[in-house]
Amino acid sequence: MEQVDLKKQFEEHGWVLVKNIFSEAEIEQMREKVYASKKSGHKGDLLSSPYLHTIVYDDRILNIVRKLIGDDIIYFGDSTYLVDNKQWGFHKDNPDRIDPKGPDWTGEKYDAIRVGIYLQDHINSPGGLLLRDKSHNLFPITAGKAFNVPVEKGDVAIWYLKTTHSGNAKLFRFFPGLIINPKYYQFVPEFMFIPAKTERIGVFLTYGKKTAPTQRFIDYLKTRQYGVTNWQNSNYDPKDITEAEKHGLKIIDMRAEVKDVEIEKLNLFHADIPY
């Protein structure tokens, strides 16, 4: 897809799926690295993982991000992998999820985005990503047509933090094209769903720019237990910071800023921040 088409789709629909970015061999290697990182007990972000650090400044990902939001992109330690995660439910990840008058909806052009790499096929297998089309410009999480993103091995999905989405999609055995709100999964007998063929692994990274919307998301992460815990456990190798900057990515190291923050005093669940 040409650059102008990719950016146009992203801005109009709130998401893009870019095909065949990684080879099947690379995806299998990434799967092994995720397991190795998990086995090692590593608890920080991906850049601080000795197994997965290079994915943060992989040119193939950064080149796509630049096409979507422009140059001078930053990375601020919001990344992780999820193995066989069972959580689901439509939601947004931006700070202003309760107040439609918040800066995310009334301020400057939004540029905080999430990259998702799924290490298995999700066209005919569950565990993938549900999105609501064009929902990045719609405040209610019920707005926008829901669909299962047809992710195959090697693909990269990207969406705005304002785009309504749900992880771990379930697919119906007899009606694979039928999408229901994930909150109703619990009421459907398990035999009605297609079983998973392999353990589901997703790798997720957040990028942005030095703008008010991205800074607001960073400020929001400072109020969340998971965000600060991640930063406190992320110790970067200076060589990785240098290497990332060679690839045109600015690294914002949050560890020193939050090293003395008491996690139990932060929000476990979402709460809009002031403006």
Side-chain angles (χ1 to χ4, degrees), residues 14 81 87 98 127 172 174 185 198 215 218 231 241 254 259:
Y81 58 80
Q87 294 181 341
I98 298 174
F172 282 92
F174 304 110
Y185 286 163
T198 187
Q215 183 59 53
I218 294 173
W231 287 333
I241 295 180
M254 297 293 298
K259 64 182 179 65

Side-chain angles (χ1 to χ4, degrees), residues 27-245:
I27 290 297
E28 291 307 311
Q29 290 171 1
M30 200 180 304
R31 178 177 285 272
E32 292 175 4
K33 289 178 180 179
V34 166
Y35 285 132
S37 189
K38 182 179 180 181
K39 185 177 180 180
S40 74
H42 175 261
K43 296 180 180 180
D45 76 328
L46 299 184
L47 187 60
S48 64
S49 167
Y51 303 96
L52 295 159
H53 55 119
T54 60
I55 193 67
V56 173
Y57 48 83
D58 189 295
D59 280 330
R60 290 166 293 184
I61 291 178
L62 297 183
N63 288 339
I64 298 170
V65 172
R66 290 190 187 98
K67 289 178 182 179
L68 301 180
I69 63 174
D71 296 327
D72 301 319
I73 56 176
I74 64 172
Y75 168 81
F76 42 89
D78 183 44
S79 63
T80 191
Y81 58 80
L82 296 174
V83 179
D84 199 28
N85 181 46
K86 297 299 184 183
Q87 294 181 341
W88 55 66
F90 279 120
H91 63 284
K92 297 177 183 289
D93 287 331
N94 64 301
D96 296 312
R97 303 180 213 176
I98 298 174
D99 184 2
K101 296 181 180 179
D104 286 347
W105 303 103
T106 61
E108 63 184 85
K109 184 176 180 180
Y110 204 81
D111 54 21
I113 64 175
R114 181 146 298 149
V115 174
I117 308 168
Y118 296 84
L119 308 189
Q120 54 283 314
D121 165 80
H122 288 300
I123 292 181
N124 301 305
S125 184
L129 174 69
L130 293 181
L131 291 175
R132 286 195 180 275
D133 192 38
K134 299 182 179 180
S135 58
H136 61 308
N137 291 323
L138 302 170
F139 179 75
I141 61 171
T142 55
K145 183 179 179 180
F147 67 100
N148 179 59
V149 182
V151 177
E152 297 179 281
K153 279 186 179 181
D155 298 349
V156 172
I158 305 179
W159 59 97
Y160 287 107
L161 297 185
K162 294 201 302 179
T163 303
T164 305
H165 60 284
S166 175
N168 236 309
K170 290 193 174 188
L171 303 178
F172 282 92
R173 186 186 297 270
F174 304 110
F175 307 98
L178 176 63
I179 303 297
I180 66 170
N181 192 314
K183 69 181 182 180
Y184 297 124
Y185 286 163
Q186 59 184 315
F187 302 114
V188 180
E190 197 62 34
F191 76 86
M192 295 288 290
F193 295 117
I194 296 174
K197 299 176 181 178
T198 187
E199 188 169 46
R200 183 260 203 191
I201 300 178
V203 175
F204 305 98
L205 309 101
T206 308
Y207 297 96
K209 297 171 70 69
K210 287 188 175 181
T211 60
T214 294
Q215 183 59 53
R216 184 164 176 78
F217 181 64
I218 294 173
D219 291 340
Y220 169 72
L221 288 179
K222 294 177 185 178
T223 71
R224 294 296 303 274
Q225 291 187 13
Y226 83 90
V228 174
T229 297
N230 202 36
W231 287 333
Q232 289 181 342
N233 286 285
S234 297
N235 189 16
Y236 298 152
D237 186 329
K239 294 180 181 178
D240 278 317
I241 295 180
T242 300
E243 190 63 29
E245 293 183 345

Side-chain angles (χ1 to χ4, degrees), residues 241-272:
I241 295 180
T242 300
E243 190 63 29
E245 293 183 345
K246 287 181 181 178
H247 290 257
L249 178 65
K250 176 66 176 178
I251 303 298
I252 309 298
D253 188 349
M254 297 293 298
R255 187 166 182 259
E257 184 174 339
V258 301
K259 64 182 179 65
D260 297 323
V261 173
E262 297 180 53
I263 298 298
E264 62 275 8
K265 293 184 178 180
L266 303 178
N267 296 326
L268 178 60
F269 302 107
H270 171 80
D272 281 9

